[in-house]
């Protein structure tokens, strides 16, 4: 029997009953992030020693030697309290810098970053000198972005991306957004993989040997350090712990794991190693309850939670680097490492087990933003008790987990060519993106396309109001000369197609530049398919290859298109010229028109047939266009609707829109309706459930906010169950009322770090920029406590 | 190495430039017409400090590159060349064509945009904000601009201390 607990909520276990976790949690919250220069120092040291200029590229073997050098020389850190050894950086909460990606973006503010308003980072004078004098100058021509620029003659697509408002191809900063195969690490160990390639020859396999040796060397260093620490401590209990840690690190990840602590340590060492290879944004963990369940034996639930808690707090030992404006407009996110639990097994049976509930309990106790918990729920296979427990955790934490419905997600993956077993075994990457963990290299956050910018260009003949008189897209028909709504929709599609082409081109060129200067041999070791094919993940080695697109501003654009159809072409209440004039003037002098538009019933997320028809049309268009294009690894582009905090930042750059939206207002998050435009919860859920999920293979983020209260649980359970039964794909809920959020914004000192759901991931409300805080406050709040 | 006999001259020149610079920092409103003058002033003081301050010079060790500053209408064009641990400034004519393209170009929308970029409040030079506000357009290798911005920030922070120039 896989679930043995009588009390699924494990009420007897509290944070006070696990003093180690309580203390580690306190340390986590009170520690301010500091910049760590270990990775850039070792990286640059190696390159200089070998006489390699980064812009000239690096072979797979040399890249593996570099990785090994970093891991052999990386400081072996054992915390005073944690049961796991090793850390991403040399700091308690570090900000790793990657000079081969976008590390240089903080060069201008190195001397002021410690006192910036939003999310300051500590840095010493020596570290400033190290970066300013030794590291950054060496990489000036050797970042992914600059290598792409020089190798491909400063392509127009790169220049358009650098205007930020149109789209972002995240490879300049990061790939991540994938799930390594941790199952093989704990079940077989890296030594097994070494043995597997014993007789294989060639550059790729040589690189694989080197990187595995590097990881084992780091584990051995940790083992030695733990032993040293054990010798030095007077605390008998801690000495025993340290000796155990030492023994474990000598064994894993080289060998297979036998205990939960070994499995967690093995995964953690590999995770650290991956962070030395490339930036971590949304490097996710996969189905941890399935991976770890075989190792839950011989210990109590309390001990298991203690170990899992130690691991989760380790995952939160670093935060991403962001320049100041980046923090102000787009910041607040952690590393967004998703953990997936529940759902069905590969062969289609209920997958929930004791580990599922242990992970839920740990999340409930810790309430940290990383990892980002995603649960799978199959309405026909999972129990109601399981759903009840999920809802309880959401109410107690106010913001987590994120709910995914197995039925449409699996259908969407099958439609992308996944086998039945692999689709059944999906996990979530980053925010909400489903992939077959360890088997897909999907870079699910490869492109973020601002759909509102496409609309702007359609309204202004290929120009954008932010970039003024610069002709960005094709010079399409003036709106005043457009004869019908369908004709305008074609214009919108011409501009969108143009930005799709540009975004795909730059993503593919950046992918090639990335491979030239930073192949990923260790990620390739941990991605199924690469070893069999003898190819790096960046060369298409993975079993499944894809690139993910996230569309920003969908509901605002649909509402705008509805308004154009209704008011310009049907009711003829205003000419197209008049509507353009109104948005140019930010509705000044057009308040009556704005009110009429705002009060229209044709809105995304309502019962409107028009809105539904236009949404289906746009979804189909985006899916079809992106799927037509191939990525640099020979895979497909999949489309999703999630926005992280980009909807806040891009909203500030977007002018008034025909939907009635005012200048600089935040765009709606994910696939959520515009705040206030869809007042009925049932309509929203029904609208979402009817969308064709096969065209949303990169996931969507529907954000809902519910008023907390005594009798919420039963209705909450019923709502999620009903939504999933009618075909809803995903939903995530903040259980918090508007007044609390407003008070929190005005008096942050009164509150402990409060978790909120942003658009796919959780964040601390205080860390979010003011636009994002306002967006969450403004989100429609539904009251499930009402009696019908 | 500079001739030691020139040191008093450089000191006086530095003092004059510093005084003008600090006045600019203190000015509540900056006239648009002042922007071009200020750009040259900033680059000149930088250039001078690279000669006389070893601690400042270290920031351009092995820095070889050119950055062009220009207005959208080409009316203001200044080329900054970093070479051999020195910075050379050259005013360019609107129609002048360069033999080698600069490593980076900073195109500012208007003089106020240039001032916001060169002289941000509190020494916080924020390139991303300038781009987002469409005040400047950057072309070419962004890392050259990041490096220049660090040096400009460093200079501004040092001058804002008001005491003697210390470039530690």
């Amino acid at each position: 029997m896989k679930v043995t607990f009588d009390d699924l909520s494990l009420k007897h276990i509290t944070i006070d009953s696990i003093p180690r976790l309580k203390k580690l949690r306190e340390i986590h919250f009170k520690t301010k992030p500091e910049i760590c220069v270990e990775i850039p120092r070792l990286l640059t040291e190696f390159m200089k020693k070998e006489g390699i200029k980064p812009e000239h590229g690096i072979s797979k073997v040399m890249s593996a030697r570099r990785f090994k050098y970093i891991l052999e020389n990386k400081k072996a850190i054992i915390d005073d309290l944690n049961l796991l050894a090793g850390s991403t950086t040399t700091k308690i909460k570090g900000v790793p810098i990657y000079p081969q990606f976008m590390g240089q973006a903080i060069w201008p503010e190195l001397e002021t970053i410690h006192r910036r308003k939003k999310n300051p980072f500590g840095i010493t004078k020596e570290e400033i000198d190290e970066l300013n004098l030794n590291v950054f100058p060496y990489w000036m021509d050797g970042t992914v972005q600059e290598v792409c620029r020089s190798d491909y003659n400063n392509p127009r697509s790169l220049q358009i991306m650098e205007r930020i408002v149109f789209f972002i191809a995240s490879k300049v900063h990061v790939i991540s957004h994938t799930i390594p195969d941790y199952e093989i690490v704990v079940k077989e160990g890296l030594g097994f993989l070494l043995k597997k390639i014993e007789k294989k020859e060639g550059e790729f396999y040589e690189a694989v040997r080197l990187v595995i040796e590097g990881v084992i060397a780091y584990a051995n260093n940790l083992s030695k350090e733990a032993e040293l620490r054990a010798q030095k401590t007077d605390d008998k209990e801690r000495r025993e712990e340290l000796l155990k840690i030492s023994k474990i690190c000598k064994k894993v990840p080289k060998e297979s794991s036998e205990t939960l602590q070994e499995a967690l340590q093995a995964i953690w060492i590999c995770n650290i190693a991956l962070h030395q290879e490339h930036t971590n944004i949304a490097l996710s963990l996969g189905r941890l309850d399935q991976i770890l369940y075989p190792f839950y034996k011989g210990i109590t639930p309390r001990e298991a939670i203690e170990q899992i808690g130690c691991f989760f707090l380790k995952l939160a030992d670093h935060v991403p680097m962001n320049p100041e404006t980046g923090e102000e407009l787009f910041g607040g996110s952690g590393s967004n490492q998703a953990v997936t639990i529940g759902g069905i097994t590969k062969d289609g049976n209920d997958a929930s087990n004791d580990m599922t509930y242990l992970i839920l309990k740990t999340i409930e106790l810790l309430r940290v933003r990383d990892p980002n918990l995603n649960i799978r729920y199959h309405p026909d296979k999972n129990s109601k008790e399981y759903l009840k427990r999920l809802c309880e955790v959401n109410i107690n934490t106010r913001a987590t987990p994120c709910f995914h419905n197995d039925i449409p997600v699996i259908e969407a993956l099958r439609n992308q060519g996944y086998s039945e077993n692999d689709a059944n075994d999906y996990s979530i990457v980053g925010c909400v993106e489903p992939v077959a963990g360890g088997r897909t290299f999907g870079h699910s956050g490869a492109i973020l396309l601002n759909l509102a910018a496409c609309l702007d260009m359609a309204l202004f003949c290929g120009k954008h109001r932010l970039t003024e008189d610069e002709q960005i897209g094709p010079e399409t028909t003036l709106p005043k000369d457009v004869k019908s709504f369908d004709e305008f929709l074609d214009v919108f599609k011409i501009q969108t197609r143009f930005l799709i082409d540009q975004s795909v081109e730059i993503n593919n060129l950046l992918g090639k530049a990335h491979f030239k200067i930073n192949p990923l041999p260790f990620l390739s070791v941990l991605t199924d398919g690469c070893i069999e094919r003898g190819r790096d993940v960046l060369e298409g080695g993975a079993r499944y290859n894809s690139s993910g697109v996230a569309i920003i501003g969908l509901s605002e654009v649909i509402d705008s298109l509805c308004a154009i159809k209704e008011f310009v072409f049907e009711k003829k209440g205003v000419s197209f010229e008049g509507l353009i004039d109104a948005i140019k003037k930010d509705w000044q002098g057009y308040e009556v028109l704005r009110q009429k538009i705002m009060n229209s019933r044709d809105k995304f997320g309502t019962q409107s047939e028009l809105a539904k028809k236009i949404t289906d049309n746009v979804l189909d268009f985006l899916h079809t266009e992106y799927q037509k294009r191939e990525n640099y690894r020979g895979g497909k582009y999949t489309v999703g609707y999630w926005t992280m905090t980009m909807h806040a930042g891009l909203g500030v750059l977007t002018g008034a829109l025909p939907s009635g939206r005012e200048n600089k207002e935040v765009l709606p998050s994910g696939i959520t309706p515009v705040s206030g435009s869809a007042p009925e919860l049932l309509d929203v859920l029904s609208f979402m459930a009817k969308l064709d999920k096969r065209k949303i293979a990169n996931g969507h983020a529907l954000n809902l906010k519910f008023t907390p209260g005594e009798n919420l649980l039963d209705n909450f359970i019923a709502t999620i169950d009903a939504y999933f039964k009618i075909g809803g794909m995903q939903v995530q809920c903040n259980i918090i009322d508007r007044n609390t959020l407003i008070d929190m914004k005005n008096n942050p000192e009164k509150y402990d770090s409060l978790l909120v759901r942003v658009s796919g991931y959780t964040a601390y409300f205080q860390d979010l920029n003011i636009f994002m805080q306002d967006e969450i406050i403004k989100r429609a709040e539904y009251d499930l406590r009402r009696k019908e | 190495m500079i001739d030691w006999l020139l040191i008093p001259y450089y000191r006086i020149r530095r003092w004059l430039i510093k005084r003008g610079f600090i006045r600019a920092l203190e000015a509540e409103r900056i006239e648009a017409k002042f922007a071009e003058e200020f750009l040259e002033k900033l680059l000149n003081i930088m250039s001078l400090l690279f000669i006389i301050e070893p601690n400042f010079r270290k920031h351009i060790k092995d820095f070889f590159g050119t950055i062009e500053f220009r207005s959208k209408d080409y009316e203001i064009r200044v080329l900054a060349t970093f070479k051999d641990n020195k910075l050379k400034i050259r005013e360019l004519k609107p129609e002048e064509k360069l033999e080698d393209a600069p490593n980076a170009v900073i195109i500012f929308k208007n003089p106020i945009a240039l001032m916001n970029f060169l002289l941000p409040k509190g020494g916080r030079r924020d390139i991303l904000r300038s781009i987002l506000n469409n005040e400047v357009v950057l072309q070419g290798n962004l890392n050259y601009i990041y490096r220049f911005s660090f040096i400009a920030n460093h200079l501004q922070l040092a001058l804002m201390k008001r005491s003697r120039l210390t470039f530690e």
Side-chain angles (χ1 to χ4, degrees):
Chain A
M1 194 167 151
K2 284 171 16 176
V3 179
T4 61
F5 302 136
D6 293 331
D7 169 20
L8 297 180
S9 59
L10 300 164
K11 281 194 194 74
H12 64 289
I13 301 175
T14 63
I15 191 82
D16 290 323
S17 69
I18 316 176
R20 185 195 310 273
L21 277 196
K22 192 179 178 189
K23 182 72 187 158
L24 284 170
R25 186 178 182 275
E26 278 168 18
I27 293 170
H28 169 77
F29 280 112
K30 101 175 167 212
T31 306
K32 301 283 174 220
E34 294 173 283
I35 285 176
C36 172
V37 299
E38 186 181 57
I39 295 173
R41 183 175 56 233
L42 293 171
L43 190 65
T44 311
E45 220 169 74
F46 178 86
M47 298 291 276
K48 284 183 180 174
K49 262 187 205 166
E50 294 292 330
I52 308 166
K53 291 295 285 173
E55 56 271 30
H56 296 155
I58 190 167
S59 69
K60 288 175 206 165
V61 170
M62 193 55 85
S63 169
R65 281 186 54 207
R66 184 171 77 181
F67 175 85
K68 189 180 174 197
Y69 177 82
I70 292 172
L71 282 164
E72 283 173 342
N73 292 285
K74 180 174 172 53
K75 197 171 173 190
I77 291 178
I78 313 286
D79 298 344
D80 291 337
L81 269 179
N82 205 300
L83 291 171
L84 301 183
S87 56
T88 307
T89 69
T90 58
K91 314 283 182 175
I92 297 173
K93 199 187 273 177
V95 183
I97 303 293
Y98 299 86
Q100 70 273 47
F101 299 110
M102 270 188 71
Q104 281 88 330
I106 57 153
W107 203 344
E109 56 172 317
L110 278 180
E111 294 184 303
T112 51
I113 202 162
H114 63 285
R115 60 181 168 90
R116 69 183 188 187
K117 275 186 214 157
K118 205 75 200 168
N119 302 334
F121 298 144
I123 187 166
T124 65
K125 189 184 168 304
E126 290 70 33
E127 287 163 341
I128 294 173
D129 280 348
E130 175 102 46
L131 293 174
N132 176 47
L133 303 175
N134 297 331
V135 174
F136 288 162
Y138 196 73
W139 294 87
M140 282 179 69
D141 299 312
T143 57
V144 170
Q145 189 166 356
E146 296 312 329
V147 167
C148 176
R149 193 191 311 281
S150 61
D151 284 7
Y152 301 104
N153 199 23
N154 197 15
R156 176 83 176 127
S157 51
L158 179 61
Q159 294 176 47
I160 293 176
M161 183 188 81
E162 286 171 345
R163 308 307 289 274
I164 297 163
V165 71
F166 302 101
F167 57 81
I168 290 170
S170 66
K171 273 187 190 65
V172 293
H173 178 43
V174 61
I175 284 194
S176 274
H177 272 96
T178 192
I179 301 174
D181 183 1
Y182 286 135
E183 196 167 0
I184 201 157
V185 172
V186 296
K187 271 192 177 167
E188 310 285 357
L190 296 178
F192 164 82
L193 293 174
L194 269 183
K195 212 162 181 190
K196 198 173 165 185
I197 60 159
E198 218 167 35
K199 289 179 186 158
K200 301 259 189 190
E201 285 177 5
E203 206 196 3
F204 175 79
Y205 295 107
E206 179 58 20
V208 167
R209 275 179 210 106
L210 286 165
V211 291
I212 292 179
E213 282 167 17
V215 178
I216 293 170
Y218 175 60
N220 284 334
N221 288 344
L222 287 172
S223 170
K224 283 177 203 156
E225 180 64 18
E227 200 176 343
L228 265 178
R229 295 278 300 263
Q231 285 164 10
K232 285 180 189 166
T233 184
D234 295 329
D235 182 338
K236 205 175 161 190
E237 201 178 320
R238 184 60 180 158
R239 187 182 307 133
E240 290 306 313
E241 282 175 4
L242 287 164
L243 288 173
K244 189 175 176 188
I245 291 171
S246 173
K247 203 174 152 194
I248 290 174
C249 291
K250 208 173 269 176
K251 179 180 173 186
V252 298
K254 187 180 176 186
E255 295 172 31
S256 58
S257 304
E258 288 171 279
T259 65
L260 181 62
Q261 193 174 344
E262 285 179 4
L264 291 167
Q265 182 68 69
I267 295 173
W268 177 232
I269 288 176
C270 290
N271 216 47
I272 293 172
L274 287 166
H275 297 343
Q276 314 307 303
E277 193 171 57
H278 61 116
T279 323
N280 173 26
I281 296 288
L283 186 70
S284 299
L285 282 303
R287 303 184 74 181
L288 268 194
D289 59 344
Q290 307 306 302
I291 297 170
L292 295 176
Y293 177 66
F295 306 99
Y296 172 57
K297 54 194 174 191
I299 53 173
T300 64
R302 199 201 71 89
E303 287 167 327
I305 287 170
E306 184 176 43
Q307 292 177 16
I308 298 164
C310 281
F311 176 63
F312 284 177
L313 288 165
K314 278 284 182 191
L315 288 172
D317 78 347
H318 60 288
V319 295
M321 182 282 289
N322 239 335
E324 185 164 20
T325 305
E327 278 297 342
E328 281 181 21
L329 291 181
F330 309 111
S333 167
S335 293
N336 200 10
Q337 304 154 97
V339 163
T340 306
I341 58 170
I344 56 170
T345 57
K346 280 181 193 174
D347 50 10
N349 296 312
D350 181 0
S352 60
N353 57 41
D354 279 350
M355 187 53 70
T356 313
Y357 294 97
L358 291 168
I359 289 173
L360 275 169
K361 183 70 189 182
T362 313
I363 290 286
E364 192 176 40
L365 293 178
L366 291 180
R367 298 177 196 201
V368 285
R369 68 180 175 188
D370 262 320
N372 171 22
L373 186 65
N374 286 267
I375 66 87
R376 293 176 43 174
Y377 178 69
H378 193 299
D380 303 330
K381 302 284 172 76
N382 292 131
S383 69
K384 290 291 169 290
E385 291 75 22
Y386 168 62
L387 179 61
K388 183 184 173 199
R389 178 66 187 132
L390 300 175
C391 293
E392 264 175 19
V393 174
N394 198 156
I395 290 170
N396 293 341
T397 60
R398 304 192 214 206
T400 196
C402 173
F403 296 75
H404 299 266
N405 183 359
D406 274 4
I407 297 171
V409 172
I410 290 167
E411 193 190 351
L413 290 176
R414 294 283 283 144
N415 197 44
Q416 290 300 311
Y418 282 75
S419 71
E420 191 178 347
N421 275 3
D422 288 341
N424 283 351
D425 196 31
Y426 80 88
S427 325
I428 297 300
V429 174
C431 291
V432 291
E433 310 93 271
V435 298
R439 279 154 274 168
T440 306
F441 185 58
H443 191 200
S444 57
I447 294 170
L448 302 147
L449 179 77
N450 182 7
L451 203 62
C454 304
L455 178 64
D456 213 279
M457 286 163 64
L459 293 168
F460 294 95
C461 312
K463 293 179 181 173
H464 190 284
R465 278 170 286 175
L466 187 79
T467 48
E468 298 174 344
D469 53 356
E470 193 179 337
Q471 188 71 41
I472 302 290
E475 200 173 334
T476 38
T477 320
L478 278 168
K480 74 178 174 66
D481 298 330
V482 170
K483 302 281 184 302
S484 67
F485 175 73
D486 287 344
E487 197 186 328
F488 179 72
L489 201 56
D490 286 342
V491 169
F492 168 70
K493 287 179 179 175
I494 289 170
Q495 297 298 346
T496 309
R497 199 177 287 115
F498 170 78
L499 287 185
I500 288 173
D501 277 333
Q502 299 299 311
S503 63
V504 166
E505 179 188 281
I506 194 57
N507 180 58
N508 288 349
L509 296 180
L510 286 168
K512 288 176 188 168
H514 194 299
F515 180 59
K516 178 180 171 183
I517 69 158
N518 206 85
L520 298 171
F522 191 53
L523 184 61
S524 304
V525 168
L526 298 184
T527 305
D528 186 34
C530 293
I531 286 184
E532 288 70 21
R533 292 175 186 172
R535 278 151 77 178
D536 192 280
V537 281
L538 295 172
E539 291 176 294
R543 195 193 302 179
Y544 297 104
N545 272 293
S546 55
S547 291
V549 181
I551 304 289
I552 295 158
L554 177 73
S555 55
E556 196 74 68
V557 168
I558 299 297
D559 287 0
S560 292
L561 292 171
C562 286
I564 291 168
K565 183 168 169 65
E566 184 184 352
F567 291 91
V568 175
F569 293 105
E570 285 175 357
K571 291 182 181 164
K572 300 192 189 297
V574 62
S575 67
F576 219 143
E577 257 179 313
L579 185 62
I580 300 258
D581 190 52
I583 60 168
K584 270 184 180 171
K585 291 177 176 159
D586 196 15
W587 303 101
Q588 296 291 316
Y590 290 92
E591 197 46 43
V592 176
L593 173 66
R594 180 168 178 262
Q595 283 310 317
K596 278 186 190 166
I597 291 175
M598 300 280 281
N599 292 330
S600 162
R601 289 183 176 184
D602 288 320
K603 302 284 185 197
F604 183 94
T606 66
Q607 289 182 8
S608 162
E609 279 178 25
L610 175 65
K612 177 70 174 49
K613 197 175 153 196
I614 296 177
T615 304
D616 288 344
N617 189 320
V618 171
L619 252 60
D620 178 68
F621 169 74
L622 291 167
H623 169 77
T624 309
E625 287 298 321
Y626 268 114
Q627 288 262 296
K628 276 184 203 165
R629 290 154 176 84
E630 198 172 77
N631 71 14
Y632 62 101
R633 292 173 269 116
K636 283 180 179 176
Y637 282 88
T638 57
V639 178
Y641 298 85
W642 45 272
T643 56
M644 300 192 284
T645 51
M646 298 299 291
H647 58 288
L650 291 175
V652 175
L653 308 178
T654 304
L657 290 175
S659 56
R661 174 188 176 278
E662 291 178 328
N663 186 26
K664 295 187 181 221
E665 257 189 276
V666 168
L667 293 166
S669 66
I671 201 163
T672 314
V674 174
S675 184
S677 67
E680 294 302 324
L681 178 63
L682 286 179
D683 291 346
V684 174
L685 298 179
S686 161
F687 189 94
M688 295 301 156
K690 285 179 195 155
L691 299 177
D692 187 347
K693 314 312 176 309
R694 291 169 306 172
K695 293 167 184 165
I696 312 179
N698 200 31
H700 75 54
L702 171 64
N703 294 294
L704 297 177
K705 190 165 77 184
F706 293 116
T707 313
E710 291 282 309
N711 52 355
L712 172 65
L713 183 62
D714 289 345
N715 282 349
F716 187 32
I717 298 167
T719 303
I720 302 284
D721 195 36
Y723 171 54
F724 278 6
K725 276 186 175 150
I726 59 169
M729 187 182 208
Q730 171 280 349
V731 66
Q732 53 196 16
C733 311
N734 280 306
I735 315 285
I736 190 161
D737 65 277
R738 182 186 162 85
N739 290 339
T740 308
L741 288 168
I742 291 171
D743 192 45
M744 176 114 204
K745 183 186 167 194
N746 296 332
N747 308 293
E749 68 288 345
K750 270 170 59 183
Y751 295 82
D752 191 10
S753 290
L754 176 80
L755 269 188
V756 285
R757 269 278 151 190
V758 181
S759 177
Y761 64 88
T762 44
Y764 302 123
F765 189 74
Q766 298 96 317
D767 286 358
L768 294 171
N769 61 60
I770 197 163
F771 312 110
M772 201 52 244
Q773 288 182 340
D774 287 341
E775 190 269 314
I776 292 175
I777 291 169
K778 232 179 88 179
R779 279 181 193 173
E781 185 175 323
Y782 301 100
D783 191 351
L784 285 177
R785 300 169 306 166
R786 286 175 303 185
K787 299 265 189 274
E788 292 302 326
Chain B
M1 290 291 283
I2 58 161
D3 191 333
W4 64 271
L5 287 169
L6 289 174
I7 287 177
Y9 161 74
Y10 280 124
R11 282 202 175 143
I12 293 168
R13 205 175 142 199
R14 180 180 68 172
W15 181 81
L16 286 170
I17 291 171
K18 183 186 165 190
R19 195 180 62 168
F21 194 94
I22 288 174
R23 279 186 184 164
L25 293 175
E26 288 173 345
E28 281 186 12
R29 269 186 74 241
I30 291 162
E31 297 292 325
K33 64 181 180 185
F34 183 66
E36 185 179 2
E37 192 189 325
F38 185 79
L39 172 62
E40 285 192 39
K41 204 168 262 185
L42 176 78
L43 294 174
N44 271 321
I45 194 170
M46 266 188 188
S47 152
L48 189 64
L49 287 167
F50 288 134
I51 296 171
I52 59 177
E53 295 278 356
N55 274 329
F56 196 55
R57 194 157 58 236
K58 71 183 181 189
H59 298 301
I60 55 164
K61 190 172 174 280
D62 302 326
F63 187 8
F64 290 87
T66 49
I67 301 176
E68 182 185 337
F69 297 83
R70 74 167 166 85
S71 56
K72 217 170 166 183
D73 59 6
Y74 285 80
E75 282 304 308
I76 301 173
R77 285 185 79 194
V78 176
L79 186 70
T81 306
F82 294 88
K83 195 179 170 189
D84 301 327
N85 298 338
K86 282 179 191 157
L87 164 63
K88 284 186 182 162
I89 315 298
R90 187 159 74 88
E91 201 179 325
L92 299 172
K93 290 181 183 136
E95 68 286 356
E96 190 172 341
K97 285 198 174 154
L98 294 169
E99 227 170 82
D100 297 314
N103 294 96
V105 184
I106 303 173
I107 304 162
F108 44 94
K109 189 176 165 185
N110 53 41
I112 298 295
L114 173 65
M115 291 306 296
N116 288 341
F117 182 75
L118 293 176
L119 197 62
K121 279 182 187 167
R124 290 178 178 175
R125 191 161 282 90
D126 194 334
I127 296 170
L128 183 56
R129 185 177 301 284
S130 296
I131 298 171
L132 294 177
N133 291 342
N134 204 31
E135 289 180 342
V136 299
V137 175
L138 306 181
Q139 287 180 352
N141 189 325
L142 301 182
N143 295 325
Y144 285 73
I145 297 167
Y146 293 144
R147 188 170 191 176
F148 170 81
S149 297
F150 174 86
I151 297 167
N153 260 358
H154 185 71
L155 173 67
Q156 187 178 342
L157 290 168
L159 288 173
M160 281 162 70
K161 283 181 186 166
R162 304 287 172 83
S163 57
R164 51 196 292 268
L165 285 176
T166 52
F167 292 97
E168 295 303 326

